[in-house]
Amino acid sequence: MLLNRFLPRIEFDNYEDFKENYKVNVPENFNFGYDIVDEWAKQEPEKLALVWCNDHNEEYKFTFTDISKLSNKAANYFKSIGISKGSVVMLILRRRWEYWICAVALHKIGAIVIPGSLQLTAKDIVYRGNAAEITAIVSINDDFVINQIESADCDIPSLKHKIVVGEKYSTWDYFEDEIQKFSDIFERPVNEEANKWDDTMLIYFTSGTTGMPKMVKHNFAHPLGHIVTAKYWQQVQENKLHMSVSDSGWAKFGWGKIYGQWICGAVIFCYDMDKFIPLKLLEKITEYKVTTFCAPPTMFRFMLQEDVSKFDLSNIKTCCIAGEPLNPQVFNDWYKLTGLKLREGFGQTEGTVLIANFKWMEPSAGSTGKPSPLYDIRLINNDGNDCKPGEEGTIVIYGVNKKLPIGLFTDYHNPELTDKALGGEYYDTGDMAVRDENGYYWFMGRNDDVIKCSGYRIGPFEVESAMIEHPSVVECAITSAPDPIRGQVVKATVVLAKEYTPSEELTKELQEHVKRTTAPYKYPRIIEYVNELPKTIGGKIKRKEIRMQDNSK
């Protein structure tokens, strides 16, 4: 077991023991490609690493030996075109199997990976390309993505190579053909060419409320931070299939589809779906006998609109959710149908899982859980003091100016932003929560999402949870809408169940329902019915987009 190399102690008696005594050792030259992928290949050559399928009857299975050899071929190819330690490469690969090969190869070289979303426009690519000085882009052959890259190309002076996977395109290098020209042996770099654990390995671009997207930089030790994510929250099992539903362009992919899972020896199951169709996802989970499963609450909500009882989900031992807070109604409905309590986890692009319902804990509907042992997490109020139980505050990570915890980002590339975030006593996540008397955290929303109406502070999540309890509501986004008298009022943007249609009567019924379910002043004064909510590929609701549309009216 590889975990013994990094954890002085693996098993713990309870959460308190875990929080107090969990430690992780980081080797000076730790490299995920050599110390995890290649090491598994040496220890167990036939050990399964990845099972991949899509909607076109394609299926591939890769052992760690396969991943090791293919990544060596890719590393030799990348080196041949000038990619070396510190070079920056953008990967826009959706859920293609080539992502794992490319990422591991680039890690071995000591290069820096930038995962990219399929939604990036030419303007987005130009900004990222120049901010990070990317050397190459590896992309799927998708008309929209290819067109955006081609349009951006001439405005990124550092971009020298465009590489395509899946199907050939124009004069671009064809990844599958190119790597076959090279040896499947790639010697680990030494001396100056070898990476150190604190060198930059990964950059995510994340959007805030103002300004351009921030460059979130993670070092080569970052994968070791995800042992907590995979083993103690998702509870992956060695040689069993784990599925996290995420596109490779998002940090959630790193959380659930590569690092912690492979360190723990789990098999990653990837269903490269063209479009999320609840029935198809249920079929794949059943067909492949997935053991541990993680997805955004949105997907659970839509799966619950189908007849889940028709599917044999008995092989699933643990279900987790992340990306959005978990509505109690979804928690309760899933538990009634499957006997599984959804384990919510919370975190950011800037780190690994921060707060979660870990293995020793009994999940409570709506609770985010308790802090990870990697971080000194606290709640502070507006005065900067620790919150009392029941008092709303901001989630912060203490001690970042003394020693950065393993798993947390190292900087934003921009020195001013970095100093603001990490130069003080704590890192402010910008997320609001309440902690109960038993130490469980209850997520309230982003600072920006909290609604200030007639002197009240209203967290969107509790209103959404109340709305979801009504049988007519499949999805709901609670946001603020401008009001000339109150400044802001609560607005609900609602997706209805199939058998319901919008009406004034339904609006009044929903408003009264919220008044009965939570504090009356929190009810939505405005309800808008839509066919779908704006979301990221990762499944997060774009509340900011709804607010911007309302403010522009």
Side-chain angles (χ1 to χ4, degrees), residues 261-332:
Q261 295 70 34
W262 273 357
I263 295 172
C264 295
V267 184
I268 294 163
F269 172 64
C270 179
Y271 167 36
D272 186 14
M273 62 185 87
D274 292 337
K275 181 181 179 181
F276 169 51
I277 299 174
L279 278 174
K280 283 190 176 182
L281 181 56
L282 286 164
E283 288 170 359
K284 294 296 183 184
I285 294 170
T286 303
E287 178 186 352
Y288 284 89
K289 293 181 169 54
V290 169
T291 299
T292 50
F293 177 68
C294 186
T298 298
M299 292 190 171
F300 283 99
R301 282 196 288 266
F302 278 100
M303 285 191 287
L304 285 166
Q305 296 299 303
E306 307 295 339
D307 186 359
V308 177
S309 64
K310 293 192 307 184
F311 298 90
D312 179 8
L313 302 178
S314 61
N315 210 67
I316 301 179
K317 305 307 178 188
T318 307
C319 280
C320 296
I321 72 101
E324 286 276 307
L326 175 63
N327 303 107
Q329 190 65 39
V330 176
F331 179 99
N332 293 328

Side-chain angles (χ1 to χ4, degrees), residues 328-358:
Q329 190 65 39
V330 176
F331 179 99
N332 293 328
D333 289 348
W334 190 259
Y335 178 58
K336 287 176 185 175
L337 283 166
T338 66
L340 296 166
K341 293 185 176 181
L342 296 171
R343 292 182 175 272
E344 184 173 351
F346 160 79
Q348 298 181 317
T349 301
E350 283 85 349
T352 56
V353 69
L354 301 180
I355 303 170
N357 286 276
F358 294 107

Side-chain angles (χ1 to χ4, degrees), residues 8 63-64 97 169 194 212 219-220 246 270 303 308 317 343-344 350 362-363 403 433 446-447 462 476 492 529:
T63 63
F64 279 101
W97 59 264
Y169 176 76
M212 298 299 286
N219 61 31
F220 276 84
S246 176
C270 179
M303 285 191 287
V308 177
K317 305 307 178 188
R343 292 182 175 272
E344 184 173 351
E350 283 85 349
E362 189 68 20
K403 183 180 180 182
R446 292 287 298 170
N447 271 331
E462 54 188 329
C476 174
Y529 301 99

Side-chain angles (χ1 to χ4, degrees), residues 451 460 463-468 473 475-481 489-496 506-507 510-511 514 522-530 533 541 543 546 550 553:
I451 302 162
V463 186
E464 288 175 6
S465 294
M467 290 284 289
I468 290 288
V473 179
E475 281 197 294
C476 174
I478 296 296
T479 55
S480 62
V489 293
V490 178
K491 176 190 174 184
T493 306
V494 173
V495 177
L496 291 175
L506 181 57
T507 295
L510 288 170
Q511 289 171 329
V514 173
K522 298 176 182 178
Y523 84 94
R525 295 176 182 271
I526 302 171
I527 296 181
E528 179 183 2
Y529 301 99
V530 297
L533 296 175
I541 298 170
R543 292 178 183 80
I546 297 172
D550 290 334
K553 292 178 182 177

Side-chain angles (χ1 to χ4, degrees), residues 81-127:
I81 60 174
I83 294 171
S84 59
K85 178 184 174 184
S87 297
V88 186
V89 180
M90 180 180 284
L91 305 179
I92 307 179
L93 294 174
R94 197 173 65 186
R95 300 180 184 92
R96 289 283 308 184
W97 59 264
E98 291 91 345
Y99 181 91
W100 285 268
I101 307 303
C102 290
V104 172
L106 293 166
H107 294 340
K108 286 180 174 181
I109 292 171
I112 299 169
V113 174
I114 297 182
S117 161
L118 299 184
Q119 296 175 331
L120 295 179
T121 64
K123 180 181 178 181
D124 297 324
I125 294 168
V126 168
Y127 171 71

Side-chain angles (χ1 to χ4, degrees), residues 50-205:
L50 172 66
V51 175
W52 182 93
C53 65
N54 63 11
D55 286 321
H56 308 286
N57 297 317
E58 291 182 290
E59 179 193 76
Y60 297 105
K61 294 182 179 180
F62 300 89
T63 63
F64 279 101
T65 299
D66 295 329
I67 301 292
S68 176
K69 289 183 176 181
L70 286 168
S71 64
N72 285 344
K73 285 175 172 284
N76 282 313
Y77 159 60
F78 287 141
K79 287 281 284 186
S80 77
I81 60 174
I83 294 171
S84 59
K85 178 184 174 184
S87 297
V88 186
V89 180
M90 180 180 284
L91 305 179
I92 307 179
L93 294 174
R94 197 173 65 186
R95 300 180 184 92
R96 289 283 308 184
W97 59 264
E98 291 91 345
Y99 181 91
W100 285 268
I101 307 303
C102 290
V104 172
L106 293 166
H107 294 340
K108 286 180 174 181
I109 292 171
I112 299 169
V113 174
I114 297 182
S117 161
L118 299 184
Q119 296 175 331
L120 295 179
T121 64
K123 180 181 178 181
D124 297 324
I125 294 168
V126 168
Y127 171 71
R128 286 159 173 76
N130 288 324
E133 298 183 357
I134 62 173
T135 299
I137 293 179
V138 187
S139 172
I140 61 170
N141 191 340
D142 173 271
D143 289 345
F144 174 80
V145 177
I146 292 290
N147 287 338
Q148 301 311 307
I149 295 171
E150 293 276 62
S151 299
D153 186 4
C154 60
D155 293 321
I156 308 174
S158 60
L159 179 59
K160 306 300 181 186
H161 305 281
K162 293 174 292 185
I163 304 154
V164 68
V165 308
E167 296 178 5
K168 295 181 180 181
Y169 176 76
S170 187
T171 57
W172 288 35
D173 281 3
Y174 182 50
F175 179 76
E176 282 82 343
D177 282 353
E178 294 299 330
I179 66 172
Q180 294 309 318
K181 301 173 184 177
F182 294 89
S183 167
D184 63 8
I185 297 172
F186 186 82
E187 297 296 335
R188 185 170 189 162
V190 294
N191 301 324
E192 292 79 15
E193 289 299 310
N195 71 276
K196 298 290 193 296
W197 70 266
D198 55 354
D199 289 337
T200 300
M201 180 191 85
L202 188 64
I203 295 174
Y204 293 111
F205 280 79

